[in-house]
């Protein structure tokens, strides 16, 4: 059976052993909570914008918006603006002006999802970097640095109903497959150079 409390304590203990400070763990959990809360944000039609005449939307539930803003330590109003509009800068030099263009419901959902994915990507990269930094051996005789690595190129899966865990799995798979292909092509092309084989370089 799944024991969330036990698993959580295990993760916290593991992060402590890997040198991730308690304050950094708090930030990590806040960002993760923000990603989860972002998935609960929904949008409602708000008529046409008075400035542009374009259809606009608003966040349906202010409480959900406040939860995300609290986790990210930002103002709810600023977050709502970022999710429901885009900025366009016009002019040059001192005559630059910025216009906020409202998003429709489809664009707002895309904006919300893009923010969640970006937060998750940055969090994932931060964890890997932090762990790799903390596991380095101080022994000067050790020539090769220690790193953690994951290799899973099984592929992208789409189910009738995708869970948040599946989103994480799919995202990691795609990123790792891109890296794997890139490194494979690079090593193959080195072989072609050594064997003086003519080919069209792939970048």
């Amino acid at each position: 059976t799944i024991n969330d409390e036990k698993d959580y304590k295990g993760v916290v203990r593991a992060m402590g052993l890997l040198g991730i400070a308690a304050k950094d763990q708090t930030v990590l959990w806040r960002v993760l909570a923000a990603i989860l809360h972002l998935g609960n944000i929904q949008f409602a039609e708000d008529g046409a914008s008075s400035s542009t005449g374009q259809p606009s939307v608003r966040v349906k539930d202010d409480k959900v918006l406040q939860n995300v803003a609290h986790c990210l330590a930002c103002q709810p109003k600023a977050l709502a603006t970022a999710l429901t509009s885009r900025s366009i800068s016009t002019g040059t030099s001192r005559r630059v002006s910025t216009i906020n263009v409202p998003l429709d419901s489809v664009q707002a959902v895309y904006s919300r999802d893009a923010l969640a994915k970006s937060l998750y990507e940055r969090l994932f990269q931060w964890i890997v970097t932090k762990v790799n930094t903390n596991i380095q051996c101080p022994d000067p005789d050790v020539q090769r640095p220690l790193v953690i690595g994951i290799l899973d190129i099984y592929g992208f899966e789409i189910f009738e109903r995708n869970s948040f865990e599946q989103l994480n799995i799919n995202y990691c798979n795609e990123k790792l497959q891109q890296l794997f292909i890139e490194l494979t092509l690079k090593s193959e092309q080195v072989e072609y150079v050594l064997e003086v084989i003519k080919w069209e370089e792939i970048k």
Side-chain angles (χ1 to χ4, degrees), residues 9 31 36 57 73 77 93 116 129 139 165 174 195-196:
K9 289 180 178 179
V31 174
L36 294 172
V57 295
K77 185 177 180 180
S93 189
T129 302
D139 189 343
E165 289 81 5
E174 289 303 302
E195 296 178 17
V196 197

Side-chain angles (χ1 to χ4, degrees), residues 96-152:
V96 174
S97 60
T98 302
I99 303 171
N100 282 336
V101 179
L103 303 179
D104 60 28
S105 57
V106 174
Q107 293 169 330
V109 168
Y110 180 85
S111 174
R112 177 202 66 193
D113 293 349
L115 176 58
K117 292 174 185 177
S118 179
L119 285 171
Y120 182 79
E121 178 187 14
R122 290 166 185 259
L123 181 62
F124 185 85
Q125 290 178 346
W126 179 85
I127 293 172
V128 173
T129 302
K130 192 76 172 176
V131 171
N132 280 335
T133 299
N134 291 345
I135 65 174
Q136 293 307 309
C137 180
D139 189 343
D141 295 330
V142 177
Q143 300 296 321
R144 188 175 180 180
L146 300 173
V147 297
I148 61 168
I150 305 170
L151 178 61
D152 179 3

Side-chain angles (χ1 to χ4, degrees), residues 2-85:
I2 297 175
N3 187 326
D4 289 333
E5 182 180 358
K6 182 180 178 182
D7 291 343
Y8 170 76
K9 289 180 178 179
V11 171
V12 170
R13 184 168 59 254
M15 288 194 292
L17 291 173
L18 288 169
I20 299 178
K23 64 178 183 179
D24 289 335
Q25 292 184 35
T26 300
V27 173
L28 185 153
W29 294 122
R30 286 176 70 108
V31 174
L32 190 57
I35 295 170
L36 294 172
H37 282 299
L38 268 170
N40 294 328
I41 288 182
Q42 295 182 334
F43 303 96
E45 296 290 341
D46 200 28
S49 169
S50 58
S51 58
T52 64
Q54 298 292 325
S56 60
V57 295
R58 59 178 174 79
V59 176
K60 272 187 179 180
D61 191 339
D62 287 338
K63 180 63 177 176
V64 178
L65 179 70
Q66 289 170 9
N67 288 339
V68 179
H70 174 72
C71 292
L72 296 178
C74 67
Q75 293 298 320
K77 185 177 180 180
L79 178 61
T81 300
L83 292 173
T84 59
S85 66

